[in-house]
Amino acid sequence: MARYAIGVDFGGTKVLAAVVDVETGKVKGTGKKKTSAKDGPDQLVDRIFSTCDDALKDAGMKIGQIAGIGVGIAGQVDTAKGLLIGTANLSRSVVDLPIAKRITDRYNVPAALRNDVHIAAIGEDRFGAGKDVDDFVCVFVGTGIGGGIVSHGELVTGATGNAGELGHTTIAVDGRICGCGGRGHLEAYASRTAITNALMGELRRGQPSILRELLPDVDPAAYGGEAMRSGVISKAIKAGDEVTIRVVTSAAEYLGYGLASIVNFLNPQRIILGGGVIEAVDMLFDTAETVIRRESFPAAGEKVEIVRAALGDNSGVVGAAVIGADA
Ligand SMILES: [Zn+2]
C-alpha cells in the first residue's frame, strides 16, 4: 500500500517540496519558491510551510494522509533536536532555529531535519543511482558543494552530523575565501557561485565573451554575488565562448582533485555527481572524471564508477520524504 510523506529541499536559491510515495519514490505533487539570503528565521519557516501547502494542493491530498515531513537544508544541523544551527549560504541571522518543532506544531505530524546533501544521498541510495551499491559518495555541485557518504548501505553522518562536507575541504592553502569564512575550500573554486565569481571578474577586466549578450541585464561591476544559472553557462560553452570554457575547465579540474582525494581516502565503489550545473554542462563532468582517474591511486581510480545522479532535481525531496516518513 502507498505511504506518503512530504520532503522539503531548502537550498541556496530555491526551496522545493514534494509529496512522495515513500514505497516507490514517485513524486505525487510539488511546490517551489525562491529563497533569499536576506530571509530571517520566520520568513525561512514560512517558505517551508507555503511550499508544503502547495505540494499538498498539487497532489490533491490532505495533511491527514501524510506520515511525516522531512527537511533538508543547506547548513549545519543538529539532527537529534531537529535544529538548524547555522548556514553559510542562507541568512546569517538564522541560528539555532527549531525547524522540526515548528513543522510539528503547525501540521501535527512528525518531522525530521538533515543537511541537504545528506537527504540527496538518501534519495539516490533508496531510489536513484546508488540503489544497487553499498559504498558510494554523492557530490552535488550547486551554489555550494556538498557531499554524502554511504558506507555498507548506511549514510555516514559523523560525530556531529557534518560528515561528507567535501566542499569545505582545503585544496589551496591561503586560497580564496569560502562562503563559510574559511580559506582555500573546494567550494570557493568549483561551485556554481565560484564559477560565476570568476566569470564576472573576467568581464570586469574587459575579456570578450558572449555572456554580455546572454546576460544583458547584468552589470559585472555591480555584481551582487548571486550564482549564474546553469543554462547560461551551458549556452556560453556550446557557443565556444573561450572565457567560459577556461573558467569551467579550471573549476572542473579543482573538482577532480577534490574527488581524487576522496577516492584515495575512502576507496568508494561509485561516485554520484549531481546538481544543475553537472546536468547542464557535460564538460564539467568529463573533465572532473579525467582528473579523478589520473590523480587517484591506480587501483582505486580505475575501479571507481563515476555516474550522474539519477533523480535530478528530485533527489533531495525524495530523500527528505524518506526521513520524514521515518521520523
Ligand atoms: Zn568553506
Side-chain angles (χ1 to χ4, degrees):
M1 202 183 87
R3 191 162 169 254
Y4 296 100
I6 297 178
V8 181
D9 184 1
F10 205 114
T13 54
K14 65 175 191 257
V15 52
L16 202 64
V19 175
V20 177
D21 177 341
V22 290
E23 302 299 330
T24 63
K26 284 226 161 62
V27 170
K28 294 288 289 178
T30 59
K32 184 176 170 178
K33 290 265 185 308
K34 284 200 166 155
T35 58
S36 164
K38 295 182 190 93
D39 277 359
D42 289 332
Q43 287 143 312
L44 192 154
V45 172
D46 280 344
R47 282 187 210 274
I48 292 174
F49 291 163
S50 63
T51 45
C52 284
D53 293 344
D54 289 351
L56 274 173
K57 203 172 159 195
D58 189 40
M61 291 173 67
K62 299 235 169 345
I63 192 69
Q65 298 166 269
I66 298 297
I69 297 176
V71 178
I73 193 154
Q76 273 197 58
V77 299
D78 181 329
T79 51
K81 292 181 185 155
L83 199 67
L84 175 65
I85 297 167
T87 159
N89 297 318
L90 299 167
S91 171
R92 286 174 203 285
S93 68
V94 177
V95 281
D96 292 345
L97 181 64
I99 291 181
K101 182 178 182 302
R102 296 279 289 270
I103 290 173
T104 298
D105 286 350
R106 171 167 168 138
Y107 292 105
N108 204 22
V109 296
L113 183 69
R114 286 283 183 96
N115 169 287
D116 64 335
V117 186
H118 285 179
I119 54 155
I122 292 168
E124 289 293 328
D125 180 34
R126 197 69 71 92
F127 301 109
K131 69 180 174 195
D132 58 333
V133 289
D134 281 340
D135 291 285
F136 67 87
V137 176
C138 251
V139 175
F140 285 79
V141 181
T143 51
I145 293 180
I149 303 161
V150 171
S151 179
H152 302 297
E154 294 283 334
L155 181 78
V156 177
T157 54
T160 61
N162 299 122
E165 285 282 11
L166 175 68
H168 303 283
T169 52
T170 305
I171 54 158
V173 173
D174 294 334
R176 295 177 191 164
I177 301 266
C178 179
C180 74
R183 259 194 192 277
H185 292 175
L186 178 61
E187 186 168 299
Y189 289 82
S191 65
R192 194 152 48 83
T193 314
I195 291 170
T196 306
N197 277 329
L199 288 171
M200 290 297 159
E202 296 294 344
L203 296 182
R204 275 199 298 277
R205 66 191 193 100
Q207 294 293 306
S209 171
I210 197 173
L211 289 171
R212 288 194 184 79
E213 287 163 48
L214 295 175
L215 300 166
D217 302 330
V218 172
D219 174 7
Y223 161 65
E226 206 139 292
M228 204 178 271
R229 282 184 293 118
S230 307
V232 173
I233 300 169
S234 157
K235 260 187 202 160
I237 289 174
K238 283 192 183 123
D241 189 61
E242 273 181 44
V243 163
T244 309
I245 290 171
R246 177 155 46 81
V247 164
V248 172
T249 301
S250 164
E253 284 171 352
Y254 278 110
L255 181 63
Y257 281 104
L259 291 170
S261 300
I262 295 305
V263 169
N264 284 353
F265 184 64
L266 280 176
N267 191 194
Q269 187 177 345
R270 189 173 289 176
I271 291 175
I272 299 171
L273 285 175
V277 71
I278 293 284
E279 280 173 46
V281 182
D282 285 343
M283 202 185 87
L284 189 56
F285 182 95
D286 297 342
T287 306
E289 174 169 13
T290 302
V291 176
I292 294 165
R293 297 208 190 279
R294 190 185 70 209
E295 297 299 326
S296 46
F297 283 144
E302 276 161 31
K303 181 97 184 154
V304 66
E305 301 155 6
I306 303 164
V307 304
R308 287 176 171 78
L311 302 180
D313 235 13
N314 284 337
S315 45
V317 286
V318 169
V322 168
I323 63 152
D326 293 341

